[in-house]
Amino acid sequence: MSLSRSPSPRAGGGWSSPGLTSPFDTLSGRSSPRKAYGDLHISNGGTIDNGVTWASAKAKSEEVNGYPSFSTRNNGFFSRSARKISSSLPRFHMGGRQNHAEKEKLGRGRLYPNGGSRLVRLKTLLGSVTRRMRLRILIVFGIILAFILFYVTPMHRLYRRSSFLGGGSKFVVVLAANQGGGVMEWKGPREWAIERDSVKNKKKYVAKWGYDLEIVDMSTKKRYAHEWRESWEKVDTMRNCMRKYPDAEWFWWLDLNTFIMEPSYSLQSHIFNQLPKNTYRDINDYNPLNISHPLTEAYLDPISRSATGDNNPASIDLVVPQDCGGFNLGSFFLRRSAWTDRLLDIWWDPVAYEQKHMEWEHKEQDALEHLYITQPWIRTHTAFIPQRKINSFPTGACGENGEDPRIHYKEQDRDFVVNMAGCEWGRDCWGEMYNFRELSNKLNRTLWEKFKDGISDRWKAMTHSKKEGEEKQG
């Protein structure tokens, strides 16, 4: 049917063109009619009225489409320009399914287009592997970079020095040196070399673990001190160091003739993390002086009469080794406490010095032994440590009875510290210091240094055998 003009809706409902208004307009074939035929009624004008007006149809349509009557659809800038904006944005491949049809036409979808040479195949394979391993490579590179930054920058020292992490700030290494000249006499080249190597060794060790190093110039102290006591000065020096480092807990005295053989050992892991296991309170375990222990006087309290004190590691304030002659103070530890303050005051007592300094051969060591024997309160806070733990001797020291496994240095056991005690009495101090320094460098080589030394040794062996062969032929 053709229409002479476009149909238009009527205000009361229906269409102006005849034949367009039907009681079955709502039937689209997809759903049932809204009203049955019997429900329709005929108006006075003879037209069929289905109860649907133009206004109701328009409102129903807007309700279905979800837009209010005042909607401004496609009137905004982004709505009108959405397609143009989206087409101008960069596109990313999100790992969806690839269409290889077009790529096959151009030869780009194949792993090796046009066959490819071996070099091209190798490059393609490396590129594929690199793309797959990219994230793992980045993670490994980040770990290596963090490791390098940790050890190249001062971060590792800050970590080891912090009191709540490494705990290095709790330890102070005290070294008596005569950097301004000798105490009793001016030093020669050998004495200067010993001091140089010893100081360098201690500086390297404390820098590695974040400890403090106090180098005491004994010649200056002798020149300006109100009272000078030869060989007793370490007592006053330790007391001054406790004032200078108020936050430190443990103070480690080292003689100048000592050398730290294993700088990879920290004081925490080597001794203090397991202090009860590494020390002993009962002197009868090793008693070269035959000191009577424990005390048995009835007026003493049970702790003073006990061979091991109160068995509490927190009460240990003095850690000292023993050699073949008794207490050895070439390497010992003092802990900050009220007991230590009292000990240092009595140890430095001028009356005892005036009365006994000519009688006691080993000065401060004999004084400490006397206090340990006569004063019960000294024993309850004193612990002994095996000598080779912090104070190994070379074979020449305490060697009257031959080599003693409790005293003398053992290379295979990697002893921590060696003390060239008594080397100035008939032994070569510089020779011993040099030998132990070279041994320490050899034992603590890196893998690269071991590799280079191995190549060098093999080359020397080959040239030596070649020379011997030539000599035999000649």
Side-chain angles (χ1 to χ4, degrees), residues 326-370:
F327 294 8
N328 186 282
L329 299 181
S331 172
F332 71 98
F333 291 93
L334 269 177
R335 186 184 210 165
R336 181 191 301 279
S337 66
W339 180 92
T340 303
D341 292 337
R342 183 184 177 190
L343 170 66
L344 293 176
D345 288 341
I346 296 179
W347 199 354
W348 188 248
D349 184 13
V351 176
Y353 174 78
E354 290 295 336
Q355 294 180 357
K356 295 289 187 179
H357 75 281
M358 297 299 294
E359 179 181 348
W360 289 335
E361 178 182 1
H362 297 99
K363 314 300 181 186
E364 80 286 349
Q365 291 181 178
D366 291 339
L368 181 61
E369 291 170 355
H370 176 76

Side-chain angles (χ1 to χ4, degrees), residues 447-462:
L447 294 177
W448 174 244
E449 290 172 342
K450 291 180 180 179
F451 174 76
K452 291 191 299 181
D453 291 344
I455 298 296
S456 177
D457 293 341
R458 289 185 179 182
W459 176 257
K460 290 179 180 179
M462 291 173 60

Side-chain angles (χ1 to χ4, degrees), residues 189-191 193-197 257 259 261 394 418 420 423-424 426-439:
R190 287 176 171 265
E191 287 75 17
I194 292 173
E195 179 177 311
R196 179 197 63 211
D197 286 352
N257 289 333
F259 197 88
M261 298 294 293
V418 63
M420 281 67 74
C423 63
E424 62 272 12
R427 304 201 328 261
D428 185 3
C429 293
W430 164 242
E432 292 182 0
M433 177 71 74
Y434 175 81
N435 291 332
F436 280 110
R437 184 194 69 185
E438 294 301 311
L439 178 60

Side-chain angles (χ1 to χ4, degrees), residues 133-206:
M133 300 291 292
R134 187 175 301 170
L135 179 59
R136 299 178 183 177
I137 293 174
L138 289 176
I139 294 175
V140 173
F141 178 76
I143 294 174
I144 295 175
L145 181 62
F147 183 81
I148 294 175
L149 291 176
F150 181 78
Y151 282 99
V152 173
T153 63
M155 291 178 59
H156 71 283
R157 175 174 171 82
L158 295 176
Y159 170 81
R160 289 175 173 173
R161 181 167 176 75
S162 60
S163 58
F164 56 91
L165 292 174
S169 59
K170 296 181 180 180
F171 298 90
V172 177
V173 179
V174 185
L175 179 67
N178 306 326
Q179 294 180 337
V183 175
M184 301 301 295
E185 59 183 9
W186 293 105
K187 293 182 293 190
R190 287 176 171 265
E191 287 75 17
W192 280 113
I194 292 173
E195 179 177 311
R196 179 197 63 211
D197 286 352
S198 180
V199 172
K200 182 180 179 180
N201 174 250
K202 310 308 184 297
K203 287 183 176 180
K204 182 179 179 181
Y205 181 73
V206 299

Side-chain angles (χ1 to χ4, degrees), residues 110-392:
R110 299 169 185 170
L111 185 60
Y112 306 116
N114 300 326
S117 63
R118 292 183 179 180
L119 182 60
V120 173
R121 293 184 179 184
L122 179 61
K123 289 182 179 180
T124 306
L125 179 61
L126 292 177
S128 176
V129 173
T130 302
R131 285 192 296 270
R132 296 174 185 175
M133 300 291 292
R134 187 175 301 170
L135 179 59
R136 299 178 183 177
I137 293 174
L138 289 176
I139 294 175
V140 173
F141 178 76
I143 294 174
I144 295 175
L145 181 62
F147 183 81
I148 294 175
L149 291 176
F150 181 78
Y151 282 99
V152 173
T153 63
M155 291 178 59
H156 71 283
R157 175 174 171 82
L158 295 176
Y159 170 81
R160 289 175 173 173
R161 181 167 176 75
S162 60
S163 58
F164 56 91
L165 292 174
S169 59
K170 296 181 180 180
F171 298 90
V172 177
V173 179
V174 185
L175 179 67
N178 306 326
Q179 294 180 337
V183 175
M184 301 301 295
E185 59 183 9
W186 293 105
K187 293 182 293 190
R190 287 176 171 265
E191 287 75 17
W192 280 113
I194 292 173
E195 179 177 311
R196 179 197 63 211
D197 286 352
S198 180
V199 172
K200 182 180 179 180
N201 174 250
K202 310 308 184 297
K203 287 183 176 180
K204 182 179 179 181
Y205 181 73
V206 299
K208 179 179 180 64
W209 295 107
Y211 306 144
D212 287 306
L213 175 63
E214 179 67 14
I215 302 176
V216 182
D217 188 351
M218 303 302 286
S219 63
T220 304
K221 183 175 177 60
K222 177 182 179 181
R223 182 178 301 175
Y224 296 105
H226 175 70
E227 181 182 10
W228 173 258
R229 306 180 190 179
E230 186 68 34
S231 188
W232 287 49
E233 290 301 319
K234 62 180 63 176
V235 179
D236 190 48
T237 299
M238 295 291 279
R239 184 166 53 181
N240 293 335
C241 287
M242 290 186 178
R243 298 192 188 103
K244 185 175 180 179
Y245 299 93
D247 297 329
E249 181 181 1
W250 284 98
F251 296 82
W252 183 21
W253 173 275
L254 285 173
D255 282 350
L256 186 63
N257 289 333
T258 58
F259 197 88
I260 299 175
M261 298 294 293
E262 299 295 333
S264 60
Y265 297 174
S266 69
L267 294 177
Q268 296 94 313
S269 61
H270 187 58
I271 300 172
F272 292 98
N273 288 347
Q274 295 181 333
L275 187 59
K277 181 180 178 181
N278 293 321
T279 58
Y280 58 95
R281 308 286 286 268
D282 187 359
I283 196 175
N284 294 315
D285 291 351
Y286 180 63
N287 193 356
L289 296 176
N290 293 321
I291 297 175
S292 179
H293 184 79
L295 299 174
T296 58
E297 284 75 2
Y299 61 84
L300 296 175
D301 60 274
I303 294 178
S304 299
R305 294 197 302 268
S306 173
T308 57
D310 59 0
N311 292 313
N312 184 5
S315 65
I316 299 177
D317 295 316
L318 172 64
V319 179
V320 59
Q322 294 187 92
D323 58 25
C324 58
F327 294 8
N328 186 282
L329 299 181
S331 172
F332 71 98
F333 291 93
L334 269 177
R335 186 184 210 165
R336 181 191 301 279
S337 66
W339 180 92
T340 303
D341 292 337
R342 183 184 177 190
L343 170 66
L344 293 176
D345 288 341
I346 296 179
W347 199 354
W348 188 248
D349 184 13
V351 176
Y353 174 78
E354 290 295 336
Q355 294 180 357
K356 295 289 187 179
H357 75 281
M358 297 299 294
E359 179 181 348
W360 289 335
E361 178 182 1
H362 297 99
K363 314 300 181 186
E364 80 286 349
Q365 291 181 178
D366 291 339
L368 181 61
E369 291 170 355
H370 176 76
L371 291 174
Y372 184 86
I373 294 172
T374 60
Q375 303 296 323
W377 61 275
I378 298 290
R379 304 190 184 198
T380 57
H381 291 263
T382 301
F384 301 96
I385 188 169
Q387 181 169 354
R388 287 178 53 198
K389 201 78 175 175
I390 62 170
N391 197 35
S392 297

